[in-house]
């Protein structure tokens, strides 16, 4: 695929104006502009995304991002005009921070697979203040095999 122009990739955050989660690829080249993908579900918003170079060619290919509905998404951004998203996992609470991702490819099992870690939490009064009650949070480790068969 063609390399993306220099870009910033961001989630729309919580308390968005239209109450829907959206991922934006904002182009910083002279032409400017942006592409976006909107996620289903009202009262939603996307946290900070984790951008991945799957094929180690120096360009972004995949994004992992969580939403306020507790969904962890994998977004294919190899063609930003036709981004596709697939739900990898649904957690018990909102995902309000960027997931961590590390390539994990056991011999003979899969290629281009990732182990994704993330935690849940619930924003309270302000998007910058969180409820730190230990009973309300869970830490997850998901093995994304890239075939919609994630294992936790």
């Amino acid at each position: 695929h063609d390399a993306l122009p220099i870009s910033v990739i961001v989630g729309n955050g919580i308390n968005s104006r239209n109450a829907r989660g959206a991922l934006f690829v904002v182009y910083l080249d002279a032409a400017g502009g942006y592409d976006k993908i909107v996620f289903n579900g009202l009262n939603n918003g996307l946290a900070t995304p984790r951008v991945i170079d799957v094929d180690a060619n120096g360009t972004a290919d995949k994004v992992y991002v969580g939403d306020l509905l507790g969904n962890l998404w994998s977004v294919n951004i190899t063609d930003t005009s036709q981004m596709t998203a697939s739900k990898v996992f649904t957690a018990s609470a909102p995902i309000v921070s960027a997931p961590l991702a590390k390539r994990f490819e056991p011999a003979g099992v899969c290629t281009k697979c990732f182990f994704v870690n993330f935690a849940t939490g619930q924003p309270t009064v302000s998007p910058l203040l969180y409820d730190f009650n230990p009973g309300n949070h869970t830490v997850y480790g998901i093995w994304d095999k890239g075939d919609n068969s994630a294992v936790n």
Side-chain angles (χ1 to χ4, degrees):
H1 61 83
D2 295 332
L4 283 174
I6 295 175
S7 308
V8 174
I9 300 172
V10 296
N12 67 322
I14 61 175
N15 297 326
S16 67
R17 190 168 23 158
N18 69 1
R20 295 196 141 186
L23 183 74
F24 292 87
V25 179
V26 181
Y27 304 111
L28 302 179
D29 61 357
Y34 67 91
D35 284 306
K36 74 177 178 177
I37 183 171
V38 178
F39 293 79
N40 292 330
L42 292 176
N43 299 318
N44 200 2
L46 292 188
T48 303
R50 175 69 55 196
V51 181
I52 305 293
D53 177 6
V54 174
D55 53 12
N57 68 350
T59 61
D61 302 298
K62 176 186 275 198
V63 172
Y64 286 107
V65 65
D67 68 22
L68 291 179
L69 301 177
N71 299 308
L72 177 69
W73 297 93
S74 172
V75 184
N76 179 337
I77 61 168
T78 54
D79 179 352
T80 56
S81 67
Q82 297 180 10
M83 291 184 277
T84 57
S86 53
K87 191 184 308 182
V88 177
F89 187 79
T90 300
S92 60
I95 301 169
V96 295
S97 61
L100 299 173
K102 173 75 175 154
R103 188 177 296 274
F104 181 67
E105 300 173 336
V109 178
C110 63
T111 59
K112 298 182 181 177
C113 302
F114 289 87
F115 196 77
V116 184
N117 295 89
F118 61 96
T120 63
Q122 176 62 51
T124 56
V125 179
S126 152
L128 302 177
L129 299 174
Y130 297 95
D131 174 4
F132 288 104
N133 179 340
N136 294 336
H137 303 290
T138 306
V139 176
Y140 292 91
I142 305 297
W143 181 18
D144 179 11
K145 295 196 246 177
D147 61 2
N148 294 324
S149 66
V151 178
N152 65 331

